[in-house]
Coordinates of all heavy atoms in Angstrom, one line a residue:
Chain A
D44 N -261.6 237.8 -4.6 CA -261.4 238.4 -5.9 C -262.6 239.1 -6.5 O -262.8 239.2 -7.7 CB -260.9 237.3 -6.9 CG -259.6 236.6 -6.5 OD1 -258.8 237.3 -5.9 OD2 -259.4 235.5 -6.8
R77 N -265.3 231.8 8.4 CA -264.0 232.4 8.2 C -264.0 233.9 8.2 O -263.1 234.7 8.6 CB -263.4 231.8 6.9 CG -262.9 230.3 7.0 CD -262.7 229.7 5.6 NE -261.7 230.4 5.0 CZ -260.2 230.1 5.2 NH1 -260.0 229.3 6.1 NH2 -259.4 230.7 4.6
G81 N -262.1 236.7 10.6 CA -261.1 237.7 9.9 C -260.2 237.0 8.9 O -259.3 237.5 8.5
W103 N -257.7 237.3 21.4 CA -257.8 236.1 20.6 C -257.9 234.9 21.5 O -258.4 233.8 21.1 CB -256.8 235.9 19.6 CG -257.0 237.0 18.5 CD1 -256.4 238.2 18.3 CD2 -258.0 237.1 17.4 NE1 -256.8 238.9 17.2 CE2 -257.9 238.2 16.7 CE3 -259.0 236.1 17.0 CZ2 -258.6 238.4 15.6 CZ3 -259.8 236.4 15.9 CH2 -259.6 237.6 15.2
Y108 N -260.2 227.9 17.5 CA -260.5 227.8 16.0 C -260.0 226.3 15.7 O -258.9 226.0 16.0 CB -259.9 228.8 15.2 CG -259.9 228.5 13.7 CD1 -261.2 228.3 13.1 CD2 -258.8 228.5 12.8 CE1 -261.3 228.1 11.8 CE2 -258.9 228.3 11.5 CZ -260.1 228.1 10.9 OH -260.2 227.9 9.7
A115 N -251.0 222.2 5.2 CA -250.0 221.3 4.5 C -248.6 221.6 4.9 O -247.6 220.8 4.8 CB -250.1 221.7 2.9
G116 N -248.3 222.7 5.8 CA -247.0 223.1 6.0 C -246.5 222.2 7.1 O -246.2 222.8 8.2
G118 N -243.5 219.8 6.9 CA -242.4 219.1 6.3 C -241.6 218.5 7.5 O -241.0 217.4 7.2
V119 N -241.6 219.0 8.6 CA -240.9 218.5 9.8 C -241.8 217.8 10.7 O -242.9 218.3 11.0 CB -240.2 219.7 10.6 CG1 -239.4 219.1 11.7 CG2 -239.2 220.4 9.6
P120 N -241.4 216.7 11.3 CA -242.3 216.0 12.2 C -242.6 216.8 13.5 O -241.8 217.7 13.9 CB -241.6 214.7 12.5 CG -240.1 214.9 12.2 CD -240.1 215.9 11.0
T122 N -245.0 216.3 17.3 CA -245.8 215.3 18.1 C -247.1 215.9 18.3 O -247.3 217.2 18.2 CB -245.1 215.1 19.5 OG1 -244.9 216.3 20.2 CG2 -243.7 214.6 19.2
E125 N -246.9 218.7 20.8 CA -246.4 220.0 20.4 C -247.4 220.7 19.7 O -247.5 222.0 19.7 CB -245.1 219.7 19.4 CG -243.9 219.4 20.2 CD -242.7 218.9 19.4 OE1 -242.9 218.3 18.3 OE2 -241.5 219.2 19.7
V126 N -248.3 220.1 18.8 CA -249.3 220.8 18.1 C -250.3 221.4 19.0 O -250.7 222.4 18.9 CB -250.1 219.8 17.1 CG1 -251.1 220.4 16.4 CG2 -249.0 219.4 15.9
G130 N -251.7 225.7 20.9 CA -253.0 226.4 21.3 C -253.0 227.2 22.5 O -253.7 228.1 22.8
L132 N -250.6 229.4 22.9 CA -249.8 230.7 22.6 C -250.8 231.9 22.7 O -250.3 233.0 23.1 CB -249.4 230.6 21.2 CG -248.0 229.9 21.1 CD1 -247.7 229.6 19.6 CD2 -246.9 230.6 21.9
A133 N -252.1 231.7 22.2 CA -253.0 232.8 22.3 C -253.0 233.4 23.8 O -253.3 234.6 24.1 CB -254.3 232.5 21.8
V137 N -246.1 235.5 23.0 CA -245.1 234.9 22.2 C -243.9 234.7 22.9 O -243.2 233.7 22.8 CB -244.9 235.8 21.0 CG1 -243.6 235.5 20.3 CG2 -246.0 235.7 20.1
G163 N -247.0 211.7 22.5 CA -245.6 211.8 22.0 C -245.4 211.1 20.5 O -244.4 211.2 20.1
D164 N -246.6 210.8 19.8 CA -246.5 210.3 18.6 C -246.4 211.5 17.5 O -247.0 212.4 17.8 CB -247.6 209.3 18.2 CG -247.4 208.0 18.9 OD1 -246.2 207.8 19.5 OD2 -248.4 207.2 19.1
P165 N -245.9 211.3 16.4 CA -245.9 212.3 15.3 C -247.3 212.4 14.8 O -247.9 211.3 14.6 CB -244.9 211.8 14.3 CG -244.1 210.7 14.9 CD -244.9 210.2 15.9
R181 N -256.2 221.2 20.4 CA -255.3 222.4 20.3 C -256.0 223.6 20.7 O -255.7 224.6 21.5 CB -254.8 222.5 19.0 CG -254.0 223.9 18.8 CD -253.4 223.8 17.3 NE -254.3 224.0 16.2 CZ -254.0 224.2 15.0 NH1 -252.7 224.1 14.6 NH2 -254.9 224.2 14.1
Chain B
Q50 N -240.0 223.2 7.2 CA -241.3 222.9 7.7 C -242.2 223.7 6.8 O -243.4 223.1 6.5 CB -241.4 223.5 9.2 CG -242.7 223.0 9.8 CD -243.0 223.7 11.1 OE1 -242.5 224.7 11.5 NE2 -243.8 223.1 12.0
R52 N -241.7 224.1 3.7 CA -241.4 223.5 2.4 C -240.8 224.7 1.4 O -241.2 224.8 0.3 CB -242.7 222.9 1.8 CG -243.3 221.7 2.6 CD -244.4 221.2 1.8 NE -245.1 220.2 2.7 CZ -244.7 218.9 3.0 NH1 -243.5 218.5 2.6 NH2 -245.3 218.1 3.9
R101 N -250.1 235.5 -5.9 CA -250.9 234.4 -6.2 C -250.1 233.5 -7.1 O -249.1 232.8 -6.7 CB -252.2 234.7 -6.8 CG -253.1 235.6 -5.9 CD -254.1 234.8 -5.2 NE -254.6 235.6 -3.9 CZ -255.4 236.5 -3.9 NH1 -256.1 236.8 -5.0 NH2 -255.8 237.1 -2.8
L166 N -238.1 232.1 20.4 CA -239.4 232.2 19.7 C -239.8 230.8 19.1 O -240.8 230.8 18.2 CB -239.3 233.1 18.6 CG -239.1 234.7 19.1 CD1 -238.9 235.5 18.0 CD2 -240.2 235.1 20.0
P168 N -241.7 228.3 19.9 CA -243.2 227.9 19.9 C -244.0 228.8 19.0 O -244.8 228.2 18.3 CB -243.5 228.2 21.4 CG -242.4 228.1 22.1 CD -241.4 228.7 21.3
A172 N -245.6 227.5 15.5 CA -247.0 227.6 15.2 C -247.3 228.4 13.8 O -248.2 227.8 13.1 CB -247.7 228.5 16.4
C174 N -245.2 228.3 11.2 CA -244.9 227.6 10.1 C -245.8 226.3 9.9 O -246.0 225.9 8.9 CB -243.4 227.2 10.2 SG -242.3 228.6 10.1
H175 N -246.4 226.0 11.1 CA -247.2 224.8 11.0 C -248.4 225.0 10.4 O -249.1 224.3 9.8 CB -247.3 224.2 12.4 CG -247.8 222.9 12.6 ND1 -247.2 221.8 12.0 CD2 -249.0 222.4 13.0 CE1 -248.0 220.7 12.3 NE2 -249.1 221.1 12.8
D176 N -249.2 226.1 11.0 CA -250.5 226.4 10.4 C -250.7 228.0 10.5 O -251.1 228.4 11.7 CB -251.5 225.6 11.5 CG -252.9 225.7 10.9 OD1 -253.3 226.5 10.3 OD2 -253.7 224.9 11.5
E178 N -252.9 230.1 9.4 CA -254.4 230.6 9.6 C -254.6 230.5 11.1 O -255.1 231.2 11.7 CB -255.4 229.9 8.8 CG -255.4 230.3 7.4 CD -256.7 229.9 6.7 OE1 -257.5 229.0 7.3 OE2 -257.1 230.4 5.7
Y179 N -254.2 229.3 11.6 CA -254.4 229.1 13.2 C -253.7 230.2 13.9 O -254.2 230.8 14.9 CB -254.1 227.7 13.6 CG -254.4 227.5 15.0 CD1 -255.7 227.2 15.4 CD2 -253.4 227.7 15.9 CE1 -256.0 227.2 16.8 CE2 -253.7 227.5 17.4 CZ -255.0 227.3 17.7 OH -255.3 227.2 19.1
R181 N -252.9 233.1 13.0 CA -253.7 234.4 12.9 C -254.9 234.5 13.9 O -254.9 235.5 14.5 CB -254.0 234.5 11.4 CG -253.0 235.2 10.6 CD -253.5 235.2 9.1 NE -254.6 236.1 8.6 CZ -255.2 236.1 7.6 NH1 -254.7 235.3 6.6 NH2 -256.2 236.9 7.4
V182 N -255.5 233.3 13.9 CA -256.6 233.4 14.9 C -256.2 233.3 16.3 O -257.0 233.7 17.2 CB -257.8 232.3 14.5 CG1 -258.8 232.2 15.5 CG2 -258.2 232.4 13.0
S183 N -255.0 232.8 16.5 CA -254.4 232.9 17.9 C -253.9 234.4 18.4 O -253.5 234.7 19.4 CB -253.3 232.0 18.1 OG -253.6 230.7 17.9
G184 N -254.1 235.3 17.3 CA -253.6 236.7 17.6 C -252.1 236.8 17.5 O -251.5 237.7 18.1
L185 N -251.4 235.9 17.0 CA -249.9 236.0 16.9 C -249.5 237.1 15.9 O -250.3 237.2 14.9 CB -249.2 234.7 16.6 CG -249.4 233.4 17.4 CD1 -248.6 232.3 17.0 CD2 -248.9 233.8 18.8
Q226 N -234.6 214.4 10.8 CA -236.0 213.9 10.8 C -236.3 212.6 10.3 O -237.4 211.9 10.3 CB -237.0 215.0 10.0 CG -236.7 215.0 8.6 CD -237.7 216.0 7.9 OE1 -237.8 217.1 8.6 NE2 -237.9 216.0 6.7
R230 N -239.2 212.2 16.2 CA -240.7 212.2 16.1 C -241.3 213.5 16.4 O -242.4 213.7 16.0 CB -241.1 211.1 17.3 CG -240.6 209.8 17.1 CD -240.8 208.9 18.5 NE -242.1 208.7 18.7 CZ -242.9 207.8 18.1 NH1 -242.3 207.0 17.3 NH2 -244.1 207.4 18.5
G231 N -240.6 214.4 17.0 CA -241.2 215.7 17.2 C -240.3 216.9 16.6 O -239.2 216.6 16.3
F232 N -240.8 218.1 16.9 CA -240.1 219.1 16.3 C -239.0 219.6 17.2 O -237.9 219.8 16.5 CB -241.3 220.3 16.2 CG -240.7 221.7 15.5 CD1 -240.7 221.7 14.1 CD2 -240.1 222.7 16.1 CE1 -240.2 222.7 13.4 CE2 -239.6 223.7 15.5 CZ -239.7 223.7 14.0
R233 N -239.2 219.7 18.3 CA -238.1 220.0 19.2 C -236.9 219.0 19.2 O -235.7 219.4 19.0 CB -238.6 220.0 20.6 CG -237.6 220.5 21.7 CD -238.2 220.2 23.1 NE -237.4 220.8 24.1 CZ -237.9 221.2 25.2 NH1 -239.1 221.1 25.5 NH2 -237.1 221.6 26.1

Side-chain angles (χ1 to χ4, degrees):
Chain A
D44 296 327
R77 290 167 59 80
W103 291 104
Y108 171 54
V119 177
T122 63
E125 282 173 330
V126 173
L132 282 169
V137 169
D164 291 347
R181 177 175 68 175
Chain B
Q50 196 189 16
R52 301 187 190 281
R101 299 264 158 85
L166 292 179
C174 294
H175 190 69
D176 189 342
E178 282 199 342
Y179 182 78
R181 273 169 70 187
V182 179
S183 296
L185 295 183
Q226 68 183 25
R230 300 163 70 77
F232 188 81
R233 186 188 180 151

